[in-house]
Amino acid sequence: MGKYRMRAPEGEAGSSMPAIIIGCFVAFGGILYGYDTGTIGGILAMPYWLQLFSTEPPHILPDGTQQYYITSSQSSLIVSILSAGTFFGALGAAPLGDMLGRRLGLIVGSLVFMFGVIIQTAATAIPMFVAGRFFAGLGVGFISALVPMYQSETAPKWIRGSIVGLYQFAITIGLFLASIVDNGTKGRNDTGSYRIPVAIQFAWALILIVGMLILPETPRFNIKMGRHDKALKSLSRLRRLPQDHPALHDELSEIQANHDYESSLGKARYIDCFRGNLGKRLATGCLLQGLQQLTGVNFIFYYGTSFFTNSGISNAFIISVITNVVNVISTIPGLYFVERWGRRPLLFWGAVGMFVCQYIVAITGTVQPGSLVANKVLIAFVCVYIFFFASTWGPIAWIVTGEIFPLKARAKCLSMTTATNWLLNWAIAYATPFMVNEGPGNANLGSKVFFIWGTFCLLCAFFVYALIYETKGFTLEEVDEMYAKVPHAWKSKGFVPSVRFRDVQDLAHEGGGGAVGGRSQSLAEMESAYTRRKSQVQAGDLPHADGRSSGSNEKEKDYHVALEKYE
């Protein structure tokens, strides 16, 4: 276990505080995601909203009162259409982020989100409300892919995991705020009951837009676009160092050299993302994001209020507020331990803990359905389950996917992993009412649905062991090296970086633009060539242009100077 630092490592030049503050602010995009996700569960249970939007004759209760409702298909459509929008938004984040940049891409995503919020606020019938949720989802999709990308490309390596994890923390805060606002307006007998919770989202998007107009573009995106001067200025601002500082040029040259090496292997087309080593990384990222959804967490936050009510629990709104409080608080230890214990242990034991909780809830609810004991167990172990999720799989799924892709393909791969998250989010949101509700055409699983989520949690543990590499403490460029050298995830813990791309940058172009025998050099070949050259330097056997060897010529001195600089 590594030692967690709240301060930069000793000898670290400049200050990391600007990058940390910027990363924290950009995480604000998670509030849009969390709030929009969380508010719908309460709105669907509001009496006035049901009366206004219902298209079915009301149920007549024994006391003569009318109970309005929407059908399972309507509920599925309203909840899941957001995820459909986010799926397409996440896929669109790749061309948006590569053409406009990470910063402007976030601004565009926020504007699309605001358009969706306006439509939802004005709606008085299901079709218009659904259209608004789709556009809001489209904006959230852009944001959910670009925020972790922006954070990963700006954060210092020693605290990158915690900074990217703040995105999930912001999501939990958004969910919590949504439950508070829903609880405060649920009793209103006018359109304010749902319009107030929906319209508040406009403020979240506006804050993000104003901030992104001030913040810099990421240095890695500027390098990708060939804007070295802007990359230097951006990195100078992030590290609080003058633009002529050696440490600044050292870091930027490594980013540049890594990008040059990747580019020497060819451009990253979408089809290339599914091939070879990159295909393995993409599969890891997509499975990680998909399994995060299949743990069942959004079942609680989408349908928790309705599920608790149907289970016979009074004050279901209050229970939802409690689960959201647990979600927020439990994320904090995850942000600490992700840089102390690493990604693999937290994901593995988090999956095991969720599996145990889910099966306890499922078994108790099946044996004693609707009983007081079963309800107490349901509430208690749902809260424990949320603790395990919020401190492990919640933030770390975003952290890992933000770290494992090379710069030239990062936008494309991250958009596809995020789209996978939203695709499963949509599937769960759409299918859940049919799975748990009573009535014709429904499975009426009730608490038995936790058997399904629990089984997926068990699969999560096997997945982590087999495919999750330990990326704690490495730069994004060192993560590239690890994937090139370490064949199995369970061997990644002992990996020690040995290649600095700027050391071998010139060798990448030897033999005709980085080719050996008509093919591109692999990283191993480049390292081997550099090691041979290094040995020649140390032995004083560098060749002259005429073929002679000497340890005293000017060329040898140049190599020695370069070697000392790199070492």
Side-chain angles (χ1 to χ4, degrees), residues 133-199:
R133 281 184 60 78
F134 176 82
F135 282 105
L138 195 65
V140 170
F142 290 140
I143 293 167
S144 62
L146 292 173
V147 166
M149 194 186 310
Y150 186 98
Q151 291 174 312
S152 295
E153 293 186 356
T154 55
K157 68 177 182 179
W158 59 273
I159 201 171
R160 184 181 62 243
S162 295
I163 289 178
V164 179
L166 284 172
Y167 178 58
Q168 175 65 24
F169 184 61
I171 292 173
T172 66
I173 292 175
L175 288 164
F176 171 69
L177 291 174
S179 67
I180 292 294
V181 176
D182 281 352
N183 190 54
T185 65
K186 69 179 187 297
R188 293 178 62 106
N189 195 33
D190 56 28
T191 57
S193 60
Y194 71 91
R195 280 178 170 164
I196 291 173
V198 170

Side-chain angles (χ1 to χ4, degrees), residues 469-481:
Y469 281 67
E470 184 52 72
T471 54
K472 177 177 74 73
F474 297 127
T475 67
L476 299 182
E477 289 69 40
E478 288 168 345
V479 172
D480 281 344
E481 181 189 348

